[in-house]
């Protein structure tokens, strides 16, 4: 039997072999986007940083895996031009070219609920005109709403634009009630507000805080003409959030330890932190640090928080979670000619072509790989694969006539049961800020008080906030890297 080792470290070795400089040290717990961001920001400011991640990879819930000859993303992740933090992250890890933005917002929307029985195509797209005129032409011709409904949408958008996002009362009301008061029909909610809101909030309007919904629509659609232009990875997510992120961390001098679980945090009388870890059969290790950033989910954070760190730590347990389901279909022929589309009149929500990014195109065997992204998937998340196949393949054939008669080479499912925090009314008062009541301890994660819903943008922002708070407490100069949308 191997005797467990117990060691204590205060720094880490530089990737280039040079001795680390003396100075303040930090430990970041969690290797998702929040943790990676915090570690980079702290290291860039001159701290000696150790990043600990329990999984065998970085990237949190935005990752890739192998299935046969293909590289599969666990789910379809997108960002918008207004996501200045995630765009900064892509630049920081030298990956911007691999996740380009649309030149201009253009979303094909297929409705299979039309009386003709044939899919009817509409588009949500913008022009270069100033806000709110940039969407006026698209809304005026949007075929999935009546003329009266389009006019009412315009009025509601102007009312939404006038809301004060700093008003705490917005957090207490659900978005659906506000939409109803502002003349939005059930069809308008389905064909426009939920079309966007479910994908960004991971909840329908009736389960969404007005505050978070208003933030999404004001920032994405009513701030700058190009704010809602969509970007997504044209390579596997693991290339961005694991491979390139790890290279950036190494270059910054961060010591990164994977397959390492943190078991306890304690603070000594001299104000320094002790971080106890387990790393498989290698035993235990204790790291000492001047600052610790907890960048893990809320329940894991609650379990690690020392007494007194938050006035009411149990409020973290009140932040509920929401699931996302992804269906992966490999056809034997091309069935979709657009890079993606959204659907109405069908349980299908958003469909993306992942043929190139998965490596299928490079195999030269033909076929097409589609990823079907299903947010707020409470009803489907636990359905057996056979039931999901029977439910969704016919729906794809309704939406895509070219899929009728096409062979299905593979059908599989990825499930994220706790994909995001649930943006329910009242969640805002539960989300903690980055600093805690205990000096040297900071929180990060999309579930913290970023003002954003649970997105890659929110995760990166939380990492920036936690690092900034730590550097401020340590008296280190720090330049905030983000440019806010107008």
């Amino acid at each position: 039997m191997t005797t467990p080792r117990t060691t204590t470290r205060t720094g880490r070795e530089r990737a280039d072999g040079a001795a680390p400089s003396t100075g303040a040290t930090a430990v970041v717990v969690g290797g998702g986007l929040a943790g990676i961001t915090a570690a980079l920001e702290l290291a860039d400011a001159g701290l000696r940083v150790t990043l600990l991640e329990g999984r065998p990879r970085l990237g949190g819930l935005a990752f890739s895996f192998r299935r046969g000859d293909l590289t599969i993303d666990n789910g379809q992740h997108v960002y918008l031009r207004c996501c200045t933090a995630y765009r900064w992250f892509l630049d920081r890890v030298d990956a911007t070219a691999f996740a380009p933005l649309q030149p201009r917002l253009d979303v094909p929307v297929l409705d299979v609920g039309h009386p003709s029985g044939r899919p009817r195509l509409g588009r949500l797209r913008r022009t270069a005109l100033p806000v709110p005129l940039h969407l006026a032409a698209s809304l005026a011709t949007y075929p999935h709403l009546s003329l009266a409904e389009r006019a009412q949408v315009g009025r509601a958008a102007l009312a939404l634009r006038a809301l004060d996002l700093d008003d705490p009362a917005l957090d207490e009301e659900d978005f659906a009630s506000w939409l109803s008061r502002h003349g939005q029909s059930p069809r308008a909610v389905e064909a426009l507000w939920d079309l966007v809101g479910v994908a960004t909030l991971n909840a329908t309007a009736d389960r969404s805080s007005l505050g978070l919904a208003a933030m999404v629509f004001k920032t994405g659609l009513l701030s700058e003409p190009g704010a809602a232009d969509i970007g997504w990875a044209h390579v596997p997510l693991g290339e961005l959030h694991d491979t390139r992120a790890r290279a950036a961390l190494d270059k910054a001098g961060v010591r990164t330890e994977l397959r390492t679980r943190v078991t306890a945090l304690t603070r000594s009388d001299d104000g320094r932190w002790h971080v106890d870890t387990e790393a498989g059969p290698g035993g235990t290790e204790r790291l000492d640090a001047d600052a610790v950033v907890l960048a893990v989910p809320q329940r894991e954070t609650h379990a690690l928080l020392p007494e007194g760190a938050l006035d009411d730590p149990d409020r973290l347990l009140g932040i509920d979670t929401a699931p996302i389901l992804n269906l992966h279909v490999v056809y034997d022929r091309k069935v979709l000619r657009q890079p993606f589309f959204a659907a109405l009149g069908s349980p299908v929500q958003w469909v993306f072509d992942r043929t190139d990014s998965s490596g299928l195109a490079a195999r030269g065997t033909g076929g097409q790989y589609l990823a079907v992204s299903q947010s707020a998937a409470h009803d489907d998340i636990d359905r057996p694969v056979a039931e999901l196949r029977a439910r969704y393949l016919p729906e794809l054939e309704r939406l895509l006539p070219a899929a009728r008669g096409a062979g299905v080479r593979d059908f599989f499912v990825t499930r994220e049961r706790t994909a995001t925090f649930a943006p329910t009314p009242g969640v805002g008062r539960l989300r903690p800020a980055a600093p805690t009541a205990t000096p040297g301890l900071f929180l990060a994660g999309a579930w913290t008080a970023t003002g954003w819903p649970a997105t890659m943008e929110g995760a990166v922002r939380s990492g920036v906030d936690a690092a900034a708070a730590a550097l401020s407490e340590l008296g280190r100069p720090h330049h905030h890297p983000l440019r806010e949308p107008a």
Side-chain angles (χ1 to χ4, degrees):
M1 178 181 295
T2 303
T3 302
R5 61 181 174 86
T6 301
T7 60
T8 299
R9 298 196 185 190
T10 58
R12 80 291 175 257
E13 297 178 355
R14 285 275 301 266
D16 57 11
S21 60
T22 60
T25 60
V27 171
V28 178
V29 183
L33 296 183
I36 296 168
T37 299
L40 288 171
E41 283 286 276
L42 292 169
D44 288 348
L47 271 66
R48 294 176 292 155
V49 182
T50 300
L51 174 63
L52 307 174
E53 168 55 52
R55 300 180 179 91
R57 53 159 180 80
L58 300 175
L61 293 180
F63 66 94
S64 305
F65 62 93
R66 296 288 294 179
R67 182 178 174 91
D69 295 330
L70 302 184
T71 303
I72 306 298
D73 289 346
N74 71 309
Q76 180 62 51
H77 294 259
V78 303
Y79 71 103
L80 306 181
R81 193 179 297 276
C82 63
C83 294
T84 54
Y86 185 68
R87 290 170 61 196
W88 168 88
F89 177 88
L90 291 175
D91 284 341
R92 183 63 183 78
V93 302
D94 194 26
T96 297
F98 300 103
L101 285 154
Q102 294 176 313
R104 288 188 181 179
L105 174 70
D106 187 359
V107 179
V109 183
L110 278 175
D111 180 15
V112 290
H114 191 263
S116 68
R118 296 189 301 272
R120 188 177 188 184
L121 177 65
R123 304 190 89 93
L124 293 173
R125 46 190 168 189
R126 73 168 178 92
T127 66
L129 292 173
V131 174
L133 299 177
H134 65 311
L135 295 173
S138 177
L139 182 60
T141 58
Y142 191 51
H144 305 320
L145 296 178
S146 68
L147 183 60
E149 285 170 331
R150 293 175 218 164
Q152 286 290 82
V153 163
R155 295 187 186 99
L158 292 176
L160 196 66
R161 194 182 187 194
L163 292 177
D164 178 6
L165 296 182
D166 293 327
D167 182 356
L170 271 58
D171 180 53
E172 301 299 327
E173 183 176 0
D174 70 88
F175 189 37
S177 296
W178 186 92
L179 290 172
S180 178
R181 289 204 316 275
H182 287 80
Q184 302 306 288
S185 68
R187 175 60 175 176
V189 173
E190 175 198 10
L192 184 64
W193 301 107
D194 268 354
L195 184 77
V196 175
V198 169
T200 52
L201 295 162
N202 197 22
T204 51
D206 59 310
R207 296 185 176 185
S208 298
S209 153
L210 171 58
L212 283 171
M215 184 274 157
V216 165
F217 284 95
K218 285 191 68 170
T219 305
L221 295 176
L222 299 170
S223 60
E224 298 176 348
D229 299 343
I230 299 173
W232 65 94
H234 291 202
V235 298
L237 285 172
E239 173 67 23
L240 310 182
H241 301 157
D242 185 14
T243 304
R244 289 184 174 270
R246 180 63 186 269
L249 290 164
D250 287 347
K251 188 175 181 180
V254 176
R255 171 193 169 199
T256 303
E257 297 290 344
L258 304 178
R259 297 185 174 90
T260 301
R261 186 174 69 90
V262 173
T263 57
L265 300 177
T266 54
R267 189 166 180 259
S268 62
D269 292 339
D270 64 2
R272 286 177 60 77
W273 285 93
H274 304 308
V275 183
D276 294 324
T277 71
E278 288 181 351
T284 63
E285 181 176 2
R286 167 168 282 189
L287 294 90
D288 292 343
D290 298 295
V292 174
V293 176
L294 276 178
V296 292
Q298 57 266 37
R299 289 187 175 274
E300 189 175 344
T301 296
H302 180 269
L304 289 172
L305 278 177
E307 187 175 354
L310 292 179
D311 291 339
D312 180 16
D314 287 349
R315 78 178 194 260
L316 302 189
L317 302 180
I319 303 174
D320 205 355
T321 58
I324 296 178
L325 175 73
N326 284 271
L327 315 169
H328 307 263
V329 189
V330 181
Y331 288 101
D332 65 356
R333 68 192 71 172
K334 191 175 185 70
V335 300
L336 172 63
R337 300 192 179 279
Q338 303 279 353
F340 70 92
F341 71 91
L344 298 175
S346 167
V348 170
Q349 294 175 13
W350 291 74
V351 180
F352 281 78
D353 180 4
R354 304 299 294 175
T355 306
D356 291 339
S357 64
S358 66
L360 177 61
R363 290 174 56 192
T365 57
Q368 188 172 32
Y369 162 32
L370 302 183
V372 183
S373 182
Q374 300 293 109
S375 299
H378 302 81
D379 293 339
D380 281 346
I381 194 66
D382 291 318
R383 288 182 192 265
V385 173
E387 286 188 21
L388 293 169
R389 181 183 180 119
R391 174 175 169 80
Y392 281 96
L393 286 182
E395 288 297 326
L396 288 172
E397 291 181 2
R398 289 178 66 206
L399 290 158
L400 302 171
R404 299 166 192 168
V408 177
R409 292 177 180 169
D410 198 6
F411 180 98
F412 58 100
V413 174
T414 51
R415 310 173 199 260
E416 296 293 346
R417 290 179 173 82
T418 57
T420 69
F421 75 84
T424 49
V427 72
R429 64 176 181 269
L430 303 178
R431 300 170 71 183
T436 69
T438 305
L441 181 62
F442 307 90
L443 306 180
W447 55 274
T448 61
T450 65
W452 285 68
T455 57
M456 296 189 297
E457 174 73 5
V460 174
R461 282 176 177 270
S462 76
V464 171
D465 290 346
L471 293 170
S472 177
E473 187 173 289
L474 291 169
R476 295 293 185 105
H478 176 61
H479 172 70
H480 199 286
L482 306 184
R483 181 188 71 84
E484 297 296 342

